[in-house]
Amino acid sequence: MNRNIEKKHLLAKRMPVIVILNIIAFITLLCRLYYLQVYEASKYQTMSDENRISTRFLLSPRGLIYDRNGEMIAKNEQDFQAMLITEQTPDADKSIKKISKIINLSKEDKVKIEAQLKKHHRFIPIKIKGNLSWEDVSKIMLHSSELSGIEISEGLSRVYPYSDIYAHVLGYVGPVSEQDKSDNPLYMVPGFKIGKSGLEKYFDERLRGKSGTIKLEVNAYGRVMNEIERNAGIPGENITTTLDSRLQKLAFESFGENSGAAVVLNVNTGEILALVSTPSFNPNLFTNGISYENWNELLNNERTPLINKPVSGQYSPGSTFKVVVALAALEAGVITPDTRIFCGGGINIGNIRFHCWKHSGHGSLNVIEALKHSCDIFFYEVAMRVGIDKIQEMAIKLGMNEALHVGLDNEKSGIIPSKSWKYEKYGTNWTKGDSANSGIGQGYVLVTPIQLATMLARVVNGGHAIVPTFIKPTEEELNKIPRLNISTRNIEIVKRGMYEVVNGAGGTAGRARFNINGAKMGGKTGTTQVRRISMKERVGGIRRDESLPWNLRNHALFIGFAPVENPKYAVAVVVEHGSSGSGVAAPIASKILQEALRLDIR
């Protein structure tokens, strides 16, 4: 009894404390509710909207690319795609099997579909196949009742109407890959494509434009319930290039089955009128992801169709380099227009015998005659007199030994050696034999075709340092082109030599000459060895190039300009393993220059 009384007294004492604690807890709860529902209401409203509203990107049409005459060379075409939404079909595999009987699905297509099925949610559309023809679309629509979960989606696809003719210039667009790392959220948008190479890559930011947005109401699983708002983006910028599709096509076709490169420049502005690399490839194959079969075929082709040879191919310039050596020697004063050097077919330098291409020799020649007949002995001697450092100095002035930054991938700088270059690279001193080899554009000397065209343009335009470009320069930019410190008189001497190469009796490119209403071509041939000729072979007889495997034959080169009296165009042609500069490269260059004159490209 006493214990019960004590418990009641204890409870009575504690009750006020319990009541006070409950009141405090209740007030705390009320304060917390007020804080969340009133003070932070806007914050949680926003969070709620963010969970309810999904903002997604709308891809803008990619800008178009035109040639100088308004011809479209990269465009967008309506693209129909077969899409699968797995949540709308009880059996996705069955739908895929059915549609594969209607449209052709390769093994690679099926592998990609399988990967997407594992990766994406059931409500996200998966591309079955793109670039469907009207016939394919009609077949799918006809069998739509049997193809649960399959629907046709309409969009834009990049198309290159000139196909392989412009492949190395334009490059191509393609899906974003793991190598294309970026913080740009657009890279995560399904179907978004970027420039992968060529001008598509160089002008990618401008061609993309600005994406739009669409606000969608979604449920807790992310499924779209309703469209709330749509803001259109800004279409990509259209780009007009300096290229001329008529000249580009002729230059490309002039190579036939040959492998090589050609570059055509406006000598006064640097505008690139044509840039060709052969063999080529179809860039349309890359737009939606090239097949393994096609990729391996391109990759394993011995004629390297994936290499952009005008900017990435590095070749010994051979006798085309004699233009540089002649100018360097004239500028240094080690020869004059009247200086004569005797060619007897060979010359001893140290304990090595250096040969002229004409075994019986050319006799006594001056610089114009030496260029005309492409005499090796003359230029061995001149190169040793002027020295490699002066030759390098002139070559750099004329645009060699450095990348020209025209906007294409993997542009190479070439090599114009010097005494210090050789010592740094090989730890050995420069020799007279090195100078002799450099004098005829062999040895360590390497250049790209676009450097050869630039060199020639700078010479024949009177010594103005034009830079190759795919975008037409403004008048202000043209007025700022610097004049090189090269004597006009010496330039005219070299130009006269190149005139004689084509138009003089016995010139090495006589078969390529033309006369179009008084307009003639000047130029310089070049043939470079890709194998060393042994002394045994020289004694027993040098094997004819035609009897050698393709990859052991000489490279054929030619640089040409027209018209001679008032030059407008310069071309550089390299035919890989073409055997003869005069017999193979010069006729191609002649065709190209004749077409440029006929078109009167301005």
Side-chain angles (χ1 to χ4, degrees):
M1 185 71 176
N2 290 335
R3 285 185 178 180
N4 290 334
I5 293 171
E6 287 177 3
K7 287 181 179 179
K8 288 180 180 179
H9 283 299
L10 182 61
L11 184 60
K13 288 180 181 180
R14 292 182 176 178
M15 184 60 70
V17 176
I18 294 171
V19 171
I20 291 170
L21 289 175
N22 284 333
I23 292 171
I24 292 171
F26 182 70
I27 292 172
T28 302
L29 179 61
L30 286 176
C31 291
R32 181 62 177 167
L33 288 172
Y34 176 83
Y35 176 79
L36 294 174
Q37 295 186 17
V38 179
Y39 185 76
E40 294 224 319
S42 61
K43 172 184 174 181
Y44 286 98
Q45 178 66 39
T46 301
M47 291 175 66
S48 175
D49 287 341
E50 287 176 351
N51 286 326
R52 182 174 62 87
I53 299 172
S54 172
T55 300
R56 301 181 183 178
F57 289 104
L58 288 174
L59 301 181
S60 297
R62 192 171 179 85
L64 309 176
I65 303 178
Y66 295 90
D67 79 349
R68 67 188 302 110
N69 303 307
E71 180 77 13
M72 199 181 298
I73 55 179
K75 62 181 181 177
N76 303 317
E77 285 188 354
Q78 192 178 45
D79 177 23
F80 291 100
Q81 301 177 340
M83 309 295 288
L84 170 67
I85 304 175
T86 54
E87 73 167 0
Q88 295 180 3
T89 176
D91 191 338
D93 290 335
K94 187 176 180 181
S95 294
I96 294 169
K97 286 179 181 178
K98 283 186 176 181
I99 198 171
S100 66
K101 294 178 181 179
I102 298 172
I103 59 174
N104 181 37
L105 292 181
S106 66
K107 289 182 180 179
E108 291 178 39
D109 290 331
K110 293 176 181 178
V111 168
K112 290 177 182 177
I113 294 168
E114 187 66 31
Q116 291 182 85
L117 285 171
K118 294 177 181 178
K119 181 179 178 181
H120 295 303
H121 294 293
R122 285 175 54 80
F123 56 84
I124 295 178
I126 292 170
K127 186 171 81 169
I128 299 297
K129 192 175 183 66
N131 294 320
L132 297 176
S133 66
W134 277 111
E135 183 180 355
D136 289 334
V137 172
S138 300
K139 287 180 181 178
I140 293 171
M141 297 300 290
L142 183 65
H143 295 84
S144 58
S145 60
E146 308 167 26
L147 301 171
S148 61
I150 301 290
E151 62 179 37
I152 299 297
S153 172
E154 183 180 350
L156 293 175
S157 181
R158 197 62 156 179
V159 175
Y160 303 101
Y162 281 86
S163 187
D164 51 351
I165 291 175
Y166 269 124
H168 294 91
V169 184
L170 296 177
Y172 52 88
V173 299
V176 175
S177 65
E178 293 181 3
Q179 289 75 30
D180 303 312
K181 294 181 180 179
S182 174
D183 295 330
N184 191 332
L186 275 175
Y187 278 48
M188 302 300 293
V189 178
F192 180 65
K193 293 172 183 174
I194 60 173
K196 293 284 191 172
S197 67
L199 297 184
E200 288 278 25
K201 182 177 180 180
Y202 185 65
F203 293 117
D204 192 46
E205 293 290 335
R206 292 168 60 180
L207 290 165
R208 283 186 203 175
K210 292 185 179 179
S211 62
T213 57
I214 181 171
K215 288 186 178 180
L216 303 169
E217 184 180 2
V218 297
N219 63 15
Y221 297 98
R223 186 173 298 120
V224 175
M225 308 302 292
N226 187 34
E227 181 179 321
I228 298 173
E229 181 179 293
R230 180 183 292 261
N231 295 311
I234 300 174
E237 178 185 346
N238 295 335
I239 303 291
T240 297
T241 69
T242 60
L243 297 157
D244 189 296
S245 296
R246 301 164 299 177
L247 189 64
Q248 178 81 8
K249 185 173 185 291
L250 178 131
F252 183 86
E253 293 174 348
S254 295
F255 277 82
E257 297 299 317
N258 287 310
S259 172
V263 180
V264 187
L265 300 180
N266 178 316
V267 303
N268 299 307
T269 65
E271 294 172 55
I272 300 172
L273 306 179
L275 188 145
V276 164
S277 184
T278 65
S280 187
F281 59 90
N282 183 357
N284 295 299
L285 296 175
F286 288 81
T287 303
N288 293 302
I290 190 169
S291 69
Y292 295 119
E293 182 181 353
N294 287 333
W295 173 252
N296 286 329
E297 184 179 340
L298 291 172
L299 200 61
N300 297 321
N301 188 323
E302 69 170 337
R303 302 201 177 199
T304 58
L306 293 174
I307 292 179
N308 192 352
K309 292 163 187 173
V311 297
S312 300
Q314 298 186 104
Y315 307 91
S316 295
S319 294
T320 62
F321 196 64
K322 291 172 181 175
V323 171
V324 178
V325 177
L327 261 183
L330 288 165
E331 285 289 291
V334 299
I335 63 169
T336 70
D338 299 320
T339 300
R340 304 191 74 84
I341 295 174
F342 181 79
C343 168
I347 184 175
N348 292 322
I349 302 175
N351 58 355
I352 299 175
R353 182 73 172 170
F354 283 72
H355 300 269
C356 185
W357 69 267
K358 186 176 182 182
H359 303 303
S360 60
H362 290 99
S364 178
L365 307 98
N366 61 27
V367 64
I368 291 175
E369 294 166 337
L371 286 167
K372 173 183 176 180
H373 297 291
S374 199
C375 176
D376 293 330
I377 300 301
F378 185 97
F379 285 97
Y380 290 148
E381 180 63 38
V382 166
M384 289 188 289
R385 291 185 190 183
V386 70
I388 190 59
D389 290 337
K390 287 289 185 182
I391 293 173
Q392 186 198 58
E393 181 183 332
M394 178 57 68
I396 291 172
K397 277 186 181 181
L398 297 175
M400 296 176 167
N401 207 42
E402 60 184 4
L404 294 164
H405 305 294
V406 297
L408 300 179
D409 300 325
N410 302 314
E411 185 179 349
K412 304 299 183 184
S413 61
I415 297 173
I416 305 297
S418 65
K419 292 177 181 178
S420 59
W421 174 88
K422 183 184 178 184
Y423 192 82
E424 288 173 9
K425 187 168 181 66
Y426 297 105
T428 55
N429 292 324
W430 190 262
T431 67
K432 287 185 176 181
D434 292 330
S435 290
N437 276 326
S438 298
I440 62 167
Q442 299 215 152
Y444 301 113
V445 182
L446 292 175
V447 299
T448 63
I450 200 164
Q451 288 175 330
L452 281 175
T454 302
M455 175 271 286
L456 181 62
R458 290 184 179 186
V459 171
V460 302
N461 71 15
H464 296 277
I466 58 94
V467 178
T469 177
F470 286 106
I471 300 298
K472 190 176 183 67
T474 64
E475 284 298 323
E476 183 181 358
E477 289 170 333
L478 291 176
N479 291 333
K480 290 181 179 178
I481 294 176
R483 172 77 167 78
L484 297 170
N485 184 25
I486 304 175
S487 161
T488 302
R489 179 173 177 268
N490 289 334
I491 286 175
E492 290 301 320
I493 292 167
V494 173
K495 283 173 64 178
R496 180 65 190 181
M498 288 191 284
Y499 171 85
E500 291 293 327
V501 167
V502 179
N503 302 285
T508 56
R511 286 179 291 175
R513 72 168 62 100
F514 60 79
N515 187 334
I516 301 176
N517 299 321
K520 299 179 181 180
M521 172 180 75
K524 185 69 193 76
T525 53
T527 303
T528 62
Q529 295 175 0
V530 296
R531 68 185 185 98
R532 187 176 182 85
I533 299 174
S534 67
M535 184 57 66
K536 180 180 178 182
E537 190 174 354
R538 288 191 183 278
V539 173
I542 298 173
R543 294 174 63 187
R544 293 180 61 84
D545 245 32
E546 294 77 7
S547 67
L548 296 170
W550 176 80
N551 64 329
L552 294 181
R553 297 174 188 173
N554 297 333
H555 291 323
L557 300 91
F558 186 81
I559 54 174
F561 66 98
V564 170
E565 297 304 324
N566 183 24
K568 294 181 181 178
Y569 315 111
V571 62
V573 171
V574 176
V575 180
E576 293 180 329
H577 309 295
S579 298
S580 168
S582 59
V584 178
I588 292 174
S590 179
K591 285 182 184 178
I592 294 171
L593 287 175
Q594 288 182 65
E595 180 72 355
L597 289 168
R598 186 185 70 79
L599 295 171
D600 192 22
I601 303 171
R602 299 177 185 273

